[in-house]
Amino acid sequence: MGIINNENGQKIKPLFWVSSAKKNLLEMPEQVVDLIGYALYLAQNGLKHPQAKPLKWFGSAGVLEVVEDYSGNTYRAVYTVRLSNRIYVLHCFQKKSRKGIETSKHDMDLIEARLRLAGLHSEGAER
């Protein structure tokens, strides 16, 4: 993959989709796709969207979540910025639970498994 620079001459971090994350994102409403897409663009440029927050279960700002409410539903995208100057989109989903704001255990397990896959990909790409 060639190096791409933004309009300021800074390197843009490449974006990688893990498993079905891109397919799941594109099934969301257009307004949600636009917001998450812009948040990922900012991440590629080393910036953080105001709606991107650290996912608490992972204990650092290396795994972030963008949350968007639209038409009575909540949509989320989880990505990591902590692997080898790359952005890995780990999971995009509509929050199903009506109780609280917590992400379900199923989704957290899926994010954790995909983070491991991204780590393996990143290690292989560095060799």
Short mmCIF file of all heavy atoms in Angstrom, two decimals, residues 87-127:
data_model
loop_
_atom_site.label_atom_id
_atom_site.label_comp_id
_atom_site.label_asym_id
_atom_site.label_seq_id
_atom_site.Cartn_x
_atom_site.Cartn_y
_atom_site.Cartn_z
N ILE A 87 -5.53 2.31 11.23
CA ILE A 87 -6.85 2.36 11.85
C ILE A 87 -7.55 1.05 11.49
O ILE A 87 -7.65 0.70 10.31
CB ILE A 87 -7.69 3.54 11.33
CG1 ILE A 87 -6.93 4.87 11.45
CG2 ILE A 87 -9.05 3.59 12.02
CD1 ILE A 87 -6.56 5.28 12.84
N TYR A 88 -8.00 0.33 12.50
CA TYR A 88 -8.77 -0.90 12.29
C TYR A 88 -10.19 -0.69 12.79
O TYR A 88 -10.38 -0.38 13.97
CB TYR A 88 -8.14 -2.08 13.04
CG TYR A 88 -6.87 -2.60 12.42
CD1 TYR A 88 -5.63 -2.10 12.79
CD2 TYR A 88 -6.91 -3.61 11.46
CE1 TYR A 88 -4.46 -2.58 12.23
CE2 TYR A 88 -5.74 -4.11 10.89
CZ TYR A 88 -4.52 -3.58 11.28
OH TYR A 88 -3.36 -4.07 10.71
N VAL A 89 -11.16 -0.84 11.90
CA VAL A 89 -12.56 -0.76 12.29
C VAL A 89 -12.97 -2.16 12.74
O VAL A 89 -12.95 -3.10 11.94
CB VAL A 89 -13.46 -0.26 11.14
CG1 VAL A 89 -14.89 -0.10 11.63
CG2 VAL A 89 -12.93 1.05 10.58
N LEU A 90 -13.31 -2.28 14.01
CA LEU A 90 -13.54 -3.59 14.61
C LEU A 90 -14.99 -4.05 14.54
O LEU A 90 -15.26 -5.23 14.35
CB LEU A 90 -13.09 -3.56 16.08
CG LEU A 90 -11.64 -3.14 16.32
CD1 LEU A 90 -11.37 -2.97 17.80
CD2 LEU A 90 -10.67 -4.13 15.69
N HIS A 91 -15.92 -3.13 14.70
CA HIS A 91 -17.33 -3.54 14.79
C HIS A 91 -18.22 -2.34 14.57
O HIS A 91 -17.96 -1.26 15.10
CB HIS A 91 -17.58 -4.14 16.18
CG HIS A 91 -18.88 -4.83 16.38
ND1 HIS A 91 -19.56 -5.49 15.40
CD2 HIS A 91 -19.65 -4.98 17.52
CE1 HIS A 91 -20.67 -6.03 15.89
NE2 HIS A 91 -20.74 -5.72 17.18
N CYS A 92 -19.28 -2.51 13.78
CA CYS A 92 -20.32 -1.50 13.59
C CYS A 92 -21.65 -2.19 13.83
O CYS A 92 -21.92 -3.25 13.26
CB CYS A 92 -20.27 -0.94 12.17
SG CYS A 92 -18.73 -0.11 11.76
N PHE A 93 -22.49 -1.60 14.67
CA PHE A 93 -23.72 -2.27 15.04
C PHE A 93 -24.76 -1.30 15.57
O PHE A 93 -24.45 -0.18 15.97
CB PHE A 93 -23.45 -3.35 16.09
CG PHE A 93 -22.85 -2.86 17.38
CD1 PHE A 93 -23.62 -2.74 18.52
CD2 PHE A 93 -21.50 -2.51 17.46
CE1 PHE A 93 -23.07 -2.28 19.72
CE2 PHE A 93 -20.94 -2.06 18.65
CZ PHE A 93 -21.73 -1.95 19.78
N GLN A 94 -26.01 -1.76 15.55
CA GLN A 94 -27.10 -1.02 16.16
C GLN A 94 -27.29 -1.59 17.56
O GLN A 94 -27.40 -2.81 17.72
CB GLN A 94 -28.38 -1.20 15.35
CG GLN A 94 -29.56 -0.47 15.94
CD GLN A 94 -30.83 -0.65 15.13
OE1 GLN A 94 -30.80 -1.12 14.01
NE2 GLN A 94 -31.95 -0.28 15.72
N LYS A 95 -27.31 -0.72 18.55
CA LYS A 95 -27.52 -1.16 19.92
C LYS A 95 -28.95 -1.65 20.06
O LYS A 95 -29.88 -0.94 19.74
CB LYS A 95 -27.24 -0.02 20.89
CG LYS A 95 -27.34 -0.43 22.35
CD LYS A 95 -26.99 0.75 23.24
CE LYS A 95 -27.07 0.42 24.70
NZ LYS A 95 -28.34 -0.08 25.14
N LYS A 96 -29.09 -2.87 20.54
CA LYS A 96 -30.41 -3.50 20.66
C LYS A 96 -31.03 -3.31 22.04
O LYS A 96 -32.22 -3.20 22.16
CB LYS A 96 -30.32 -5.00 20.34
CG LYS A 96 -29.77 -5.30 18.97
CD LYS A 96 -30.75 -4.99 17.91
CE LYS A 96 -30.21 -5.44 16.56
NZ LYS A 96 -30.97 -4.97 15.46
N SER A 97 -30.21 -3.31 23.07
CA SER A 97 -30.71 -3.27 24.44
C SER A 97 -31.38 -1.93 24.73
O SER A 97 -30.88 -0.88 24.36
CB SER A 97 -29.57 -3.49 25.43
OG SER A 97 -30.01 -3.24 26.73
N ARG A 98 -32.49 -2.00 25.40
CA ARG A 98 -33.19 -0.77 25.80
C ARG A 98 -32.81 -0.37 27.22
O ARG A 98 -33.25 0.64 27.73
CB ARG A 98 -34.70 -0.97 25.70
CG ARG A 98 -35.15 -1.24 24.28
CD ARG A 98 -35.00 0.00 23.45
NE ARG A 98 -35.30 -0.30 22.06
CZ ARG A 98 -34.68 0.26 21.04
NH1 ARG A 98 -33.72 1.13 21.25
NH2 ARG A 98 -35.00 -0.04 19.81
N LYS A 99 -32.01 -1.21 27.88
CA LYS A 99 -31.61 -0.94 29.27
C LYS A 99 -30.22 -0.31 29.28
O LYS A 99 -29.27 -0.90 28.80
CB LYS A 99 -31.58 -2.23 30.08
CG LYS A 99 -32.92 -2.90 30.21
CD LYS A 99 -32.88 -4.07 31.16
CE LYS A 99 -31.79 -5.04 30.84
NZ LYS A 99 -31.81 -6.27 31.64
N GLY A 100 -30.11 0.87 29.83
CA GLY A 100 -28.81 1.50 30.03
C GLY A 100 -28.09 1.82 28.74
O GLY A 100 -28.61 1.68 27.65
N ILE A 101 -26.83 2.24 28.90
CA ILE A 101 -26.04 2.62 27.73
C ILE A 101 -24.92 1.63 27.46
O ILE A 101 -24.17 1.77 26.51
CB ILE A 101 -25.43 4.04 27.90
CG1 ILE A 101 -24.52 4.09 29.12
CG2 ILE A 101 -26.53 5.08 27.99
CD1 ILE A 101 -23.71 5.35 29.23
N GLU A 102 -24.81 0.60 28.31
CA GLU A 102 -23.71 -0.35 28.17
C GLU A 102 -23.83 -1.17 26.90
O GLU A 102 -24.92 -1.52 26.46
CB GLU A 102 -23.67 -1.29 29.37
CG GLU A 102 -23.02 -0.66 30.57
CD GLU A 102 -22.71 -1.69 31.65
OE1 GLU A 102 -22.58 -2.88 31.34
OE2 GLU A 102 -22.59 -1.27 32.79
N THR A 103 -22.68 -1.49 26.35
CA THR A 103 -22.60 -2.39 25.20
C THR A 103 -22.76 -3.82 25.71
O THR A 103 -22.21 -4.17 26.76
CB THR A 103 -21.24 -2.21 24.50
OG1 THR A 103 -21.11 -0.83 24.12
CG2 THR A 103 -21.13 -3.07 23.27
N SER A 104 -23.49 -4.65 24.98
CA SER A 104 -23.76 -6.01 25.43
C SER A 104 -22.48 -6.84 25.53
O SER A 104 -21.49 -6.56 24.86
CB SER A 104 -24.74 -6.70 24.47
OG SER A 104 -24.07 -7.05 23.27
N LYS A 105 -22.53 -7.88 26.35
CA LYS A 105 -21.39 -8.78 26.49
C LYS A 105 -21.06 -9.43 25.16
O LYS A 105 -19.88 -9.57 24.80
CB LYS A 105 -21.66 -9.84 27.56
CG LYS A 105 -20.48 -10.81 27.71
CD LYS A 105 -20.64 -11.72 28.88
CE LYS A 105 -19.57 -12.75 29.05
NZ LYS A 105 -18.41 -12.75 28.23
N HIS A 106 -22.07 -9.80 24.39
CA HIS A 106 -21.84 -10.40 23.07
C HIS A 106 -21.02 -9.46 22.18
O HIS A 106 -20.05 -9.87 21.56
CB HIS A 106 -23.17 -10.74 22.40
CG HIS A 106 -23.04 -11.05 20.95
ND1 HIS A 106 -22.56 -12.26 20.48
CD2 HIS A 106 -23.28 -10.30 19.84
CE1 HIS A 106 -22.53 -12.24 19.15
NE2 HIS A 106 -22.96 -11.06 18.75
N ASP A 107 -21.43 -8.19 22.13
CA ASP A 107 -20.70 -7.22 21.30
C ASP A 107 -19.29 -6.98 21.84
O ASP A 107 -18.34 -6.87 21.06
CB ASP A 107 -21.48 -5.91 21.20
CG ASP A 107 -22.69 -6.03 20.30
OD1 ASP A 107 -22.56 -6.56 19.19
OD2 ASP A 107 -23.78 -5.58 20.71
N MET A 108 -19.13 -6.93 23.16
CA MET A 108 -17.80 -6.71 23.73
C MET A 108 -16.89 -7.90 23.43
O MET A 108 -15.70 -7.72 23.11
CB MET A 108 -17.89 -6.47 25.24
CG MET A 108 -18.60 -5.17 25.59
SD MET A 108 -17.90 -3.71 24.80
CE MET A 108 -16.47 -3.47 25.82
N ASP A 109 -17.42 -9.12 23.50
CA ASP A 109 -16.62 -10.31 23.17
C ASP A 109 -16.21 -10.28 21.71
O ASP A 109 -15.08 -10.61 21.36
CB ASP A 109 -17.41 -11.59 23.47
CG ASP A 109 -17.58 -11.84 24.96
OD1 ASP A 109 -16.88 -11.20 25.78
OD2 ASP A 109 -18.44 -12.69 25.31
N LEU A 110 -17.13 -9.87 20.85
CA LEU A 110 -16.84 -9.77 19.41
C LEU A 110 -15.75 -8.72 19.16
O LEU A 110 -14.81 -8.96 18.39
CB LEU A 110 -18.12 -9.42 18.65
CG LEU A 110 -18.06 -9.44 17.14
CD1 LEU A 110 -17.72 -10.84 16.62
CD2 LEU A 110 -19.39 -8.99 16.57
N ILE A 111 -15.85 -7.59 19.81
CA ILE A 111 -14.84 -6.53 19.66
C ILE A 111 -13.48 -7.03 20.13
O ILE A 111 -12.47 -6.82 19.45
CB ILE A 111 -15.27 -5.26 20.44
CG1 ILE A 111 -16.50 -4.62 19.76
CG2 ILE A 111 -14.12 -4.26 20.55
CD1 ILE A 111 -17.23 -3.63 20.64
N GLU A 112 -13.46 -7.72 21.25
CA GLU A 112 -12.20 -8.25 21.78
C GLU A 112 -11.57 -9.25 20.82
O GLU A 112 -10.36 -9.21 20.54
CB GLU A 112 -12.43 -8.89 23.14
CG GLU A 112 -11.17 -9.29 23.84
CD GLU A 112 -11.42 -9.76 25.26
OE1 GLU A 112 -12.50 -10.30 25.55
OE2 GLU A 112 -10.51 -9.58 26.09
N ALA A 113 -12.37 -10.14 20.25
CA ALA A 113 -11.87 -11.13 19.29
C ALA A 113 -11.34 -10.44 18.03
O ALA A 113 -10.28 -10.80 17.51
CB ALA A 113 -12.96 -12.13 18.94
N ARG A 114 -12.05 -9.43 17.56
CA ARG A 114 -11.62 -8.72 16.35
C ARG A 114 -10.38 -7.88 16.62
O ARG A 114 -9.55 -7.70 15.72
CB ARG A 114 -12.77 -7.88 15.80
CG ARG A 114 -13.86 -8.76 15.20
CD ARG A 114 -14.97 -7.96 14.63
NE ARG A 114 -15.98 -8.82 14.03
CZ ARG A 114 -17.06 -8.36 13.41
NH1 ARG A 114 -17.28 -7.06 13.30
NH2 ARG A 114 -17.93 -9.21 12.90
N LEU A 115 -10.23 -7.37 17.84
CA LEU A 115 -9.02 -6.65 18.19
C LEU A 115 -7.81 -7.58 18.13
O LEU A 115 -6.74 -7.21 17.65
CB LEU A 115 -9.15 -6.01 19.58
CG LEU A 115 -7.98 -5.17 20.06
CD1 LEU A 115 -7.69 -4.01 19.11
CD2 LEU A 115 -8.26 -4.64 21.47
N ARG A 116 -7.99 -8.82 18.59
CA ARG A 116 -6.91 -9.82 18.49
C ARG A 116 -6.57 -10.09 17.02
O ARG A 116 -5.39 -10.17 16.65
CB ARG A 116 -7.30 -11.12 19.19
CG ARG A 116 -7.18 -11.06 20.70
CD ARG A 116 -7.25 -12.44 21.34
NE ARG A 116 -8.49 -13.13 21.08
CZ ARG A 116 -9.59 -13.03 21.82
NH1 ARG A 116 -9.59 -12.25 22.88
NH2 ARG A 116 -10.68 -13.70 21.51
N LEU A 117 -7.59 -10.23 16.17
CA LEU A 117 -7.35 -10.44 14.73
C LEU A 117 -6.59 -9.26 14.12
O LEU A 117 -5.66 -9.45 13.33
CB LEU A 117 -8.67 -10.64 13.98
CG LEU A 117 -9.37 -11.96 14.13
CD1 LEU A 117 -10.74 -11.92 13.44
CD2 LEU A 117 -8.53 -13.09 13.55
N ALA A 118 -6.99 -8.06 14.48
CA ALA A 118 -6.31 -6.86 13.98
C ALA A 118 -4.86 -6.84 14.43
O ALA A 118 -3.97 -6.48 13.65
CB ALA A 118 -7.04 -5.60 14.46
N GLY A 119 -4.61 -7.24 15.67
CA GLY A 119 -3.24 -7.30 16.18
C GLY A 119 -2.40 -8.28 15.38
O GLY A 119 -1.25 -7.99 15.04
N LEU A 120 -2.96 -9.44 15.06
CA LEU A 120 -2.23 -10.43 14.25
C LEU A 120 -1.96 -9.89 12.86
O LEU A 120 -0.87 -10.07 12.31
CB LEU A 120 -3.03 -11.74 14.17
CG LEU A 120 -3.14 -12.52 15.47
CD1 LEU A 120 -4.12 -13.68 15.30
CD2 LEU A 120 -1.78 -13.03 15.92
N HIS A 121 -2.95 -9.22 12.27
CA HIS A 121 -2.76 -8.62 10.94
C HIS A 121 -1.66 -7.57 10.99
O HIS A 121 -0.78 -7.52 10.12
CB HIS A 121 -4.05 -8.00 10.43
CG HIS A 121 -3.92 -7.36 9.10
ND1 HIS A 121 -3.56 -6.04 8.95
CD2 HIS A 121 -4.06 -7.87 7.85
CE1 HIS A 121 -3.52 -5.74 7.66
NE2 HIS A 121 -3.80 -6.83 6.97
N SER A 122 -1.71 -6.73 12.00
CA SER A 122 -0.71 -5.66 12.15
C SER A 122 0.70 -6.22 12.30
O SER A 122 1.63 -5.71 11.68
CB SER A 122 -1.08 -4.80 13.36
OG SER A 122 -0.12 -3.81 13.57
N GLU A 123 0.84 -7.27 13.11
CA GLU A 123 2.16 -7.89 13.28
C GLU A 123 2.67 -8.47 11.97
O GLU A 123 3.84 -8.32 11.63
CB GLU A 123 2.06 -9.01 14.32
CG GLU A 123 1.89 -8.52 15.73
CD GLU A 123 1.59 -9.65 16.72
OE1 GLU A 123 1.73 -10.83 16.34
OE2 GLU A 123 1.24 -9.33 17.86
N GLY A 124 1.80 -9.09 11.19
CA GLY A 124 2.19 -9.65 9.90
C GLY A 124 2.56 -8.58 8.89
O GLY A 124 3.46 -8.75 8.08
N ALA A 125 1.88 -7.44 8.96
CA ALA A 125 2.14 -6.34 8.02
C ALA A 125 3.48 -5.68 8.29
O ALA A 125 4.09 -5.10 7.40
CB ALA A 125 1.03 -5.31 8.10
N GLU A 126 3.96 -5.77 9.54
CA GLU A 126 5.22 -5.12 9.88
C GLU A 126 6.43 -5.93 9.45
O GLU A 126 7.54 -5.44 9.42
CB GLU A 126 5.29 -4.88 11.39
CG GLU A 126 4.38 -3.78 11.85
CD GLU A 126 4.50 -3.52 13.34
OE1 GLU A 126 5.21 -4.26 14.05
OE2 GLU A 126 3.82 -2.59 13.80
N ARG A 127 6.23 -7.20 9.14
CA ARG A 127 7.36 -8.06 8.79
C ARG A 127 7.80 -7.87 7.38
O ARG A 127 7.20 -7.46 6.51
CB ARG A 127 6.99 -9.52 9.01
CG ARG A 127 6.77 -9.79 10.47
CD ARG A 127 6.37 -11.20 10.69
NE ARG A 127 5.96 -11.30 12.09
CZ ARG A 127 5.59 -12.39 12.65
NH1 ARG A 127 5.57 -13.50 11.99
NH2 ARG A 127 5.23 -12.41 13.90
#
